[in-house]
Amino acid sequence: MKYLIKTYGCQMNVHESEKLAGILENMGYKVCEDEKDADLILFNTCAIRESAEQKIFAHIGELKKLKAQKKDMIIAICGCMSQQTGYPENILKKFPFVDIIFGTHNISELEDFILKRKSLKKKVVDIKENEDISNRDLMPKKRTSGINAWVNIMYGCNNFCTYCIVPYVRGREVSRPINDIKKEVENVVKEGYKQVTLLGQNVNSYGNDVGDENVNFANLLKTLDEIEGDFRLTFMTSHPKDISKEVIDIIAGSKHILHYLHLPVQSGSDKVLKAMNRRYTAENYFEKIEYAKSKIPDIEFSSDIIVGFPGETEEDFNDTMELVKKVQYEQLFMFIYSKRKGTVAEKMGNQVDLATKKDRLKRLIALQNEIGSKVAEKYIGKTVDVLVSDVHPKKQGYLIGTTFTNKNVNFAGDRSLIGKTVKVKIQSSKLTVLYGIMEEN
Ligand code: SAH
Ligand code: SF4
Ligand code: F3S
């Protein structure tokens, strides 16, 4: 029996697919690469933007023919798209050949769903609104991200940024017990993973749901940094309103935590930030950036930005451009605002037209290309410690890796170095990527 999982969306989904794969492998399924060989195809979906949904719908549609030839093949859909109100019904209407649909709260029940589908010969549609998170943490995991191990520290989001679907499809924040997280990190370090990435929609509010002031993100980082072993530690995603000076101080004094912070700003205009319900101003945000730079001089930043949020004027957009110039991000993830059903912003009257959105995105990309290139150029001539993550996907004889500031590096070397940290002298750069030569280690 063979399976194939198609994963869309964020790292949270990537890791949940590793857990779903764990269940399937325990059932005796083996992974395959070609849809034609699969007895089960599972779509782990995303709903963050309309474009994500369209892509997923197109991919599901492509399976119609194959399913007609292979009647016993099971097609299952889970994740954020299925969790939205009305979607399971819509999916079945559009794609009557789909066998199983479940949501974000009951992924630990995959085996049951498959067995039910097989024995009852009936479609299985099961969406829950809540769950006991310990079920998800007990799931077996088939880690597929090379030398990196993902570790959930919390689930859900309480922020309700007015554009965002995540709080509706992932539920409220629930933190994992600190000792469980510690044990999992100790285990993956023992197993030889060289990087641990902590996952949460808003890692800085870790512990807020527990009601004990000692259970917070700063203490969690401190605890994990004390674990012995050769590993790097990083996390995503931070919310600017919640990241504390204490967290930055801990990164500055830590042994394992990367000098890199993904701190999504979304907009540089206070008016837009307010309408987005982000609960900080551009000035508050920049103060945090400055504080981090003062404590960790080589730190690099990346960010997410939405252009064309309802009511965004040319002046608001220019505020975003100005903030981007001030911060000097290593990398930006830039998105055109997309209306999401059921969110507050969906009903805002002052939607920006598509041509304006596209034009703003183009200008922002051009600016960031310039800035990103400049940030990368500062590394030329320097020797940096590079953790080798894999062979280069296209260039034979080359390796890829990352610096302690999370910059991507390409250089010539042998695959036996994967998982090792080597010294590389940087010779050139192109946009966000550094190119160098390995030094004698
Ligand atoms: N929890 C994380 C990630 C959220 S989703 C955080 O708070 O940063 C990743 C990014 O998608 C967001 O940071 C935002 O920039 C973008 N995004 C979310 N909803 C969107 C929408 N409706 N339209 C366009 N981009 C959106
Ligand atoms: Fe969405 Fe905001 Fe929560 Fe991030 S913090 S997941 S952008 S609601
Ligand atoms: Fe998408 Fe869900 Fe992640 S909507 S971005 S997969 S939390």
Side-chain angles (χ1 to χ4, degrees):
M1 299 284 271
K2 298 215 168 102
Y3 76 94
L4 184 66
I5 303 182
K6 292 182 174 267
T7 307
Y8 303 82
C10 62
Q11 283 75 14
M12 199 70 80
N13 258 17
V14 171
H15 186 40
E16 284 183 349
S17 287
E18 295 181 340
K19 299 181 187 178
L20 291 158
I23 291 187
L24 292 172
E25 302 230 340
N26 273 10
M27 291 174 73
Y29 280 92
K30 297 258 177 305
V31 70
C32 68
E33 277 175 17
D34 196 328
E35 288 162 2
K36 288 190 203 72
D37 301 327
D39 299 292
L40 182 142
I41 300 180
L42 172 60
F43 287 82
N44 191 6
T45 62
C46 171
I48 201 80
R49 282 169 288 274
E50 203 189 336
S51 54
E53 289 190 352
Q54 281 167 349
K55 191 163 84 185
I56 298 165
F57 279 138
H59 289 174
I60 302 173
E62 284 164 14
L63 290 180
K64 189 176 173 186
K65 253 199 197 147
L66 188 63
K67 175 78 178 181
Q69 293 160 5
K70 257 182 105 169
K71 292 238 164 8
D72 286 339
M73 178 173 77
I74 295 178
I75 298 179
I77 322 270
C78 70
C80 294
M81 198 170 97
S82 337
Q83 188 71 34
Q84 289 180 92
T85 318
Y87 271 65
E89 296 78 4
N90 280 343
I91 293 170
L92 281 182
K93 218 186 274 165
K94 259 192 160 116
F95 310 109
F97 54 86
V98 166
D99 298 286
I100 301 173
I101 302 178
F102 56 107
T104 57
H105 294 294
N106 51 357
I107 61 169
S108 63
E109 296 171 45
L110 175 62
E111 180 166 1
D112 276 359
F113 300 147
I114 295 172
L115 297 178
K116 248 190 217 153
R117 170 66 188 150
K118 285 189 173 167
S119 61
L120 301 177
K121 296 269 166 217
K122 227 172 64 182
K123 288 190 192 301
V124 178
V125 179
D126 195 336
I127 309 291
K128 290 205 170 59
E129 291 305 325
N130 270 306
E131 73 167 326
D132 176 356
I133 60 157
S134 55
N135 289 338
R136 221 179 318 185
D137 292 327
L138 292 173
M139 286 169 74
K141 298 173 191 82
K142 193 203 172 205
R143 298 193 183 271
T144 54
S145 303
I147 60 161
N148 177 75
W150 310 105
V151 174
N152 284 115
I153 65 166
M154 60 195 298
Y155 301 98
C157 181
N158 292 355
N159 286 318
F160 289 93
C161 302
T162 54
Y163 49 81
C164 187
I165 194 77
V166 172
Y168 301 91
V169 293
R170 290 273 174 177
R172 296 294 69 72
E173 286 172 5
V174 187
S175 302
R176 268 180 89 183
I178 206 160
N179 278 330
D180 287 10
I181 300 170
K182 189 173 165 220
K183 256 187 237 149
E184 187 174 343
V185 174
E186 282 169 345
N187 283 341
V188 293
V189 169
K190 261 190 219 132
E191 285 166 31
Y193 290 92
K194 297 297 177 198
Q195 181 160 308
V196 176
T197 307
L198 308 177
L199 292 179
Q201 292 299 345
N202 178 13
V203 291
N204 304 104
S205 57
Y206 172 77
N208 285 359
D209 54 309
V210 177
D212 172 348
E213 61 180 44
N214 293 316
V215 181
N216 59 45
F217 188 55
N219 282 343
L220 174 68
L221 281 183
K222 206 155 60 187
T223 306
L224 300 179
D225 190 54
E226 283 163 6
I227 294 174
E228 304 263 332
D230 168 26
F231 70 100
R232 289 177 174 186
L233 184 62
T234 189
F235 50 86
M236 60 186 17
T237 299
S238 293
H239 194 303
K241 79 173 161 52
D242 295 318
I243 189 163
S244 62
K245 286 191 167 159
E246 210 186 340
V247 164
I248 290 166
D249 294 344
I250 284 168
I251 302 173
S254 81
K255 183 166 176 238
H256 300 282
I257 307 171
L258 291 188
H259 288 181
Y260 163 73
L261 200 54
H262 179 62
L263 199 58
V265 68
Q266 312 299 356
S267 168
S269 149
D270 289 346
K271 184 193 95 193
V272 173
L273 287 170
K274 189 149 195 267
M276 286 176 162
N277 189 31
R278 292 290 288 179
R279 288 171 279 171
Y280 54 82
T281 61
E283 196 183 321
N284 297 155
Y285 178 88
F286 192 63
E287 277 166 12
K288 297 204 174 179
I289 294 274
E290 291 280 86
Y291 184 76
K293 281 184 182 169
S294 73
K295 293 281 169 161
I296 314 161
D298 65 344
I299 193 167
E300 298 290 3
F301 300 98
S302 62
S303 191
D304 298 345
I305 288 183
I306 297 176
V307 299
F309 183 80
E312 184 190 72
T313 60
E314 190 55 27
E315 201 185 333
D316 296 321
F317 175 67
N318 280 330
D319 288 344
T320 299
M321 297 281 273
E322 286 310 312
L323 183 74
V324 166
K325 282 185 206 157
K326 259 167 68 180
V327 178
Q328 299 278 303
Y329 294 103
E330 179 265 329
Q331 198 170 166
L332 273 188
F333 302 91
M334 299 164 267
F335 309 105
I336 282 184
Y337 167 72
S338 166
K339 243 192 211 181
R340 303 284 66 207
K341 221 175 171 160
T343 60
V344 172
E346 183 207 1
K347 295 177 193 75
M348 291 182 179
N350 38 7
Q351 303 283 332
V352 177
D353 65 89
L354 187 61
T356 307
K357 285 183 191 168
K358 282 188 173 163
D359 174 63
R360 287 182 188 161
L361 181 68
K362 214 166 103 189
R363 281 149 64 199
L364 186 60
I365 291 174
L367 173 66
Q368 180 54 31
N369 282 349
E370 244 174 70
I371 293 172
S373 301
K374 227 168 62 198
V375 171
E377 278 165 20
K378 356 175 260 234
Y379 287 83
I380 296 176
K382 287 192 181 150
T383 297
V384 285
D385 287 326
V386 177
L387 171 60
V388 184
S389 49
D390 208 343
V391 292
H392 194 287
K394 288 182 199 134
K395 251 163 95 185
Q396 236 203 334
Y398 278 75
L399 298 170
I400 57 173
T402 45
T403 66
F404 203 68
T405 56
N406 210 32
K407 293 290 301 169
N408 293 318
V409 186
N410 288 1
F411 59 101
D414 182 82
R415 66 176 314 138
S416 63
L417 293 172
I418 294 173
K420 303 225 158 65
T421 301
V422 298
K423 294 220 177 288
V424 176
K425 184 160 187 180
I426 303 304
Q427 300 206 301
S428 64
S429 67
K430 196 172 169 208
L431 292 175
T432 60
V433 184
L434 309 177
Y435 299 85
I437 292 181
M438 194 168 50
E439 296 191 333
E440 288 297 319
N441 284 281

